[in-house]
Amino acid sequence: MPPLGEQSASPAVPFVQRRPRRSSVRHGQASCADYGCTRPECRRAASRARRRRDQDRLRGLSARVAPQAAARWAGRLREQGMSAQDIADRAGLSVTLVRRLLRTPAPSLTARDIARTTADAVLGIPLPARRSPTAPGLTDATEASRLLADLARAGWPATALARGLDVSARTVAEVRDQRPRLHLDLALRIRRLYRHLISLDPAGYGIHPADIARTRAAAARRTAGN
């Protein structure tokens, strides 16, 4: 026991914030480094975010702002056919944050402020051309999921389908595997792409044989697991 007035020396334990179990933060985002990730791309993103916050502080700007402007812009992006995941991918944010932003009530005075860097990232996404003005609204994803699964069994990778649909590969995988509803214009584009590709050989369109085999094997595992 140490003498009175003295404290026993103990090594400092570094604090590492625990990542939430359902977190959708990805590598390359500043918040990933906040959870203790030491990958170079995550640390660089965190450094850039700190510099932006320091610059805002020197200019007398608050680090946090009201969310309504970013929420309205995110809503417009969604109306033009972008999913929450598409917005998150373009802005470098987690899809959970984007979905929360999309739920922000416009006239609310109690909505929590968001980081200025988050608002700037969303507001900086250009408005895409409307994909199908005559097909608004949402529809059941069952048919689209089946068509995408059939294309996967035929050897068409999600990345190739994403290029043909003008969405991210993550969106293709979500519609194929888990999303219950999707925009009607995307459902129509999937139907048209299916009709065009299903009778074609992916190898004849620049898809590497190894990618074809990997896509077919993954589709077979998903089928066996259902």
Side-chain angles (χ1 to χ4, degrees):
M1 181 173 179
L4 291 176
E6 295 185 11
Q7 293 182 348
S8 59
S10 59
V13 179
F15 170 73
V16 177
Q17 186 174 353
R18 184 181 296 276
R19 184 191 298 267
R21 182 173 298 177
R22 298 183 62 185
S23 170
S24 55
V25 170
R26 300 183 304 283
H27 292 300
Q29 297 178 344
S31 48
C32 189
D34 294 339
Y35 288 128
C37 180
T38 58
R39 286 195 179 193
E41 62 268 31
C42 302
R43 297 176 66 178
R44 285 195 297 269
S47 179
R48 286 194 299 269
R50 282 194 300 271
R51 284 199 300 271
R52 285 196 297 268
R53 289 195 295 268
D54 291 342
Q55 291 167 358
D56 288 344
R57 195 159 42 244
L58 290 173
R59 293 160 58 194
L61 299 175
S62 171
R64 302 186 71 80
V65 296
Q68 279 77 17
R72 285 194 299 270
W73 188 249
R76 288 194 63 188
L77 293 171
R78 186 170 60 178
E79 289 170 359
Q80 295 294 105
M82 293 183 72
S83 68
Q85 187 64 64
D86 294 333
I87 297 171
D89 288 341
R90 291 292 299 274
L93 304 171
S94 74
V95 70
T96 303
L97 192 156
V98 172
R99 287 172 178 155
R100 187 165 63 240
L101 189 62
L102 286 165
R103 292 194 297 267
T104 301
S108 174
L109 298 177
T110 59
R112 294 170 54 187
D113 288 348
I114 59 175
R116 180 180 294 277
T117 51
T118 296
D120 289 345
V122 173
L123 292 169
I125 300 175
L127 197 67
R130 183 178 289 277
R131 290 168 176 161
S132 181
T134 58
L138 297 172
T139 187
D140 184 81
T142 302
E143 181 193 25
S145 174
R146 177 177 58 79
L147 298 181
L148 291 175
D150 287 348
L151 288 170
R153 283 191 288 270
W156 290 97
T159 50
L161 300 179
R163 287 194 296 271
L165 295 168
D166 193 23
V167 297
S168 69
R170 184 185 293 267
T171 295
V172 171
E174 282 188 351
V175 173
R176 183 192 64 212
D177 299 335
Q178 66 186 43
R179 187 178 295 185
R181 293 171 67 78
L182 76 163
H183 279 278
L184 182 55
D185 66 301
L186 178 55
L188 295 175
R189 294 204 310 280
I190 290 172
R191 190 182 299 170
R192 287 193 294 267
L193 187 67
Y194 172 85
R195 289 171 179 168
H196 176 65
L197 295 181
I198 193 60
S199 61
L200 302 177
D201 182 1
Y205 289 82
I207 308 300
H208 195 278
D211 292 334
I212 296 172
R214 188 161 44 244
T215 300
R216 287 173 174 165
R221 288 195 297 271
R222 286 192 297 271
T223 301
N226 291 336

